[in-house]
């Protein structure tokens, strides 16, 4: 049991009453140097001295400093929680002491909070000795639930989906069924799982989770139900419409890069933007009837002299073109994006920085400025092969929860 200890006439009676009724195996008093005298008075009322193994005292040096009171109370709870079923009594002490211990108890998940009530002296406002009774808060579930909801909301909206799922599993273990229903835990878990899978490019699995959700189930969870519906539309079209697949996959890669930039993970973002640049070239080639998967040097619609440039890319009878080779071929095919790539020296420099990054071939991390510059270049090139990309990016941006 953890008790705050104050001073003043009759304070010891309430503390003694709480100890009698709770009959703890161990007591941790949170006291000031002045209020230590109250502990002696409690012993007098109980008619016995506390043995050394029965109690401890943590001294609060500034009883009006709520931060210090919170910190000391939290340390006491952490010290005892693995060995004892803890009850916290916050009846006595300054407002800072009681406020600090309540906050510590809620955040550390203490199962029982109690305080002493009873008939009060109309002159002093104190509980009259002999009338004390304990009021117990069985578990501060409302507060705990609100804290967890806020934490999960923050994590989801910052793309920490794996941590969200872990927090939800903790809730399912610790909260009773009726509280879980109030929390809409099943719908929330499905929603988080869907976006966790989507963020990993596991589109079919993500879509299968999203379509389980009905608008009525999530209307109190998501900030904008129309954005959730737009997300479903985007994934559905990406998965089921062959003619749209490449363009929407390009859109999704760019959106994934956006999220990594918002997290401050600039190397991760640039790795995705590099892939987007490469993919734009592949889409542009398909627009000229050339699929890199089946491309054959002899069937390329370019003259024989130009074909000789690409002999170095042939492996086992098939051409294997990387990013720069694809844009070189586009230039030879007369596609405007090929020449544009060749002339864009700023883009060339940004791609070199990607190659020098720690996630590619070098050891130099990418900074925010270069990540943003590459994003803008990629968007400019993406618009050249998919004029509707910006409207689809809006549909693909992840819904937020509240």
């Amino acid at each position: 049991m953890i008790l705050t200890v104050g001073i003043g006439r009759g304070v010891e009676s309430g503390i003694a009453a709480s100890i009698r009724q709770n009959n703890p195996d161990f007591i941790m008093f949170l006291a000031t140097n002045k209020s230590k005298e109250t502990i002696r008075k409690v012993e007098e009322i109980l008619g016995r001295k506390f043995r050394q193994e029965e109690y401890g005292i943590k001294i609060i040096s500034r009883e009006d400093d709520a931060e210090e009171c919170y910190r000391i109370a939290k340390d006491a709870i952490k010290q005892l929680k693995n060995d004892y079923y803890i009850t916290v009594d916050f009846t006595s002490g300054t407002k800072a002491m009681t406020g600090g211990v309540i906050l510590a108890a809620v955040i550390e998940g203490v199962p029982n909070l109690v305080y002493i009530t009873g008939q009060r002296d109309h002159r002093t406002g104190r509980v009259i000795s002999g009338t004390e009774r304990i009021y117990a808060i069985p578990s501060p579930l409302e507060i705990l639930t609100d804290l967890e909801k806020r934490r999960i909301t923050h994590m989801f909206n910052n793309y920490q989906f794996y941590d969200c799922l872990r927090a939800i599993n903790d809730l399912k273990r610790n909260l009773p069924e009726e509280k879980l229903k109030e929390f809409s835990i099943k719908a929330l878990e499905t929603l988080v799982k869907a976006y966790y899978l989507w963020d990993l490019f596991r589109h079919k699995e993500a879509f299968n989770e999203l379509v389980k959700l009905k608008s009525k189930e999530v209307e109190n969870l998501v900030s904008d139900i129309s954005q959730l519906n737009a997300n479903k539309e985007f994934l559905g079209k990406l998965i089921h419409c062959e003619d749209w697949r490449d363009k929407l996959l390009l859109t999704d890669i760019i959106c994934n890069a956006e999220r990594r930039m918002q997290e401050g993970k600039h190397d991760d973002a640039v790795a995705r933007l590099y892939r987007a640049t490469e993919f734009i070239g592949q889409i542009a080639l398909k627009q000229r009837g050339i699929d890199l998967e089946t491309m054959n040097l002899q069937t390329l619609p370019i003259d024989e002299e130009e074909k000789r440039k690409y002999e170095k890319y042939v492996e086992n009878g098939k051409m294997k073109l990387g990013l720069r080779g694809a844009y070189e071929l586009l230039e030879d095919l007369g596609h405007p994006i090929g020449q544009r790539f060749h002339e864009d020296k700023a883009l060339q420099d940004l791609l070199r920085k990607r190659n020098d990054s720690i996630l590619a071939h070098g050891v130099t991390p990418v900074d925010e400025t270069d990540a943003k510059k590459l994003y803008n270049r990629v968007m400019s090139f993406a618009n050249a092969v998919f004029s509707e990309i910006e409207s689809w990016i809006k549909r693909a941006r992840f819904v937020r929860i509240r």
Side-chain angles (χ1 to χ4, degrees), residues 139 141 144 167-176 179-180:
S139 179
L141 285 178
L144 285 170
I168 288 169
N169 284 331
D170 288 342
L171 277 178
K172 288 165 70 176
R173 283 195 300 268
N174 298 325
L175 291 183
K179 275 291 168 191
L180 292 174

Side-chain angles (χ1 to χ4, degrees), residues 279-321:
F279 201 31
I280 289 165
Q282 293 168 1
I283 292 171
L285 285 170
K286 283 186 180 180
Q287 290 174 342
R288 290 296 174 94
I290 297 172
D291 189 336
L292 289 180
E293 294 294 319
T294 58
M295 181 173 57
N296 185 292
L297 177 61
Q298 300 309 316
T299 61
L300 287 180
I302 54 177
D303 62 39
E304 294 302 316
E305 185 177 344
E306 287 177 330
K307 283 180 183 179
R308 283 195 286 273
K309 290 192 302 182
Y310 297 97
E311 289 176 352
K312 60 185 176 181
Y313 297 116
V314 176
E315 294 180 19
N316 300 320
K318 295 290 184 182
M319 285 187 65
K320 304 290 184 181
L321 286 183

Side-chain angles (χ1 to χ4, degrees), residues 71-133:
R71 186 176 63 253
I72 290 173
K74 186 174 71 169
D75 288 344
I77 293 166
K78 285 185 172 181
Q79 178 183 331
L80 300 174
K81 68 190 299 185
N82 291 331
D83 298 317
Y84 298 97
Y85 181 84
I86 297 178
T87 294
V88 167
D89 185 320
F90 58 91
T91 307
S92 179
T94 64
K95 287 183 174 64
M97 290 169 70
T98 58
V101 78
I102 289 170
L103 282 172
V106 169
I107 287 171
E108 291 299 321
V110 170
N112 277 317
L113 292 171
V114 301
Y115 64 90
I116 300 297
T117 186
Q119 295 179 28
R120 295 188 179 273
D121 186 312
H122 70 277
R123 289 174 293 117
T124 65
R126 295 185 182 276
V127 173
I128 298 171
S129 181
T131 71
E132 297 94 351
R133 66 181 187 276

Side-chain angles (χ1 to χ4, degrees), residues 14 21 45 66 113 128 170 175 180 190 251 285 340 349 364 378:
Q21 292 193 47
I45 293 173
L113 292 171
I128 298 171
D170 288 342
L175 291 183
L180 292 174
T190 301
T251 303
L285 285 170
R340 182 176 170 184
D349 182 57
T364 306
V378 170

Side-chain angles (χ1 to χ4, degrees), residues 194-210:
Y195 285 93
Y196 170 66
L197 292 166
W198 188 351
D199 207 39
L200 297 175
F201 300 107
R202 291 161 64 177
H203 300 115
K204 287 184 180 179
E205 295 168 84
F207 182 70
N208 289 339
E209 293 297 325
L210 273 188

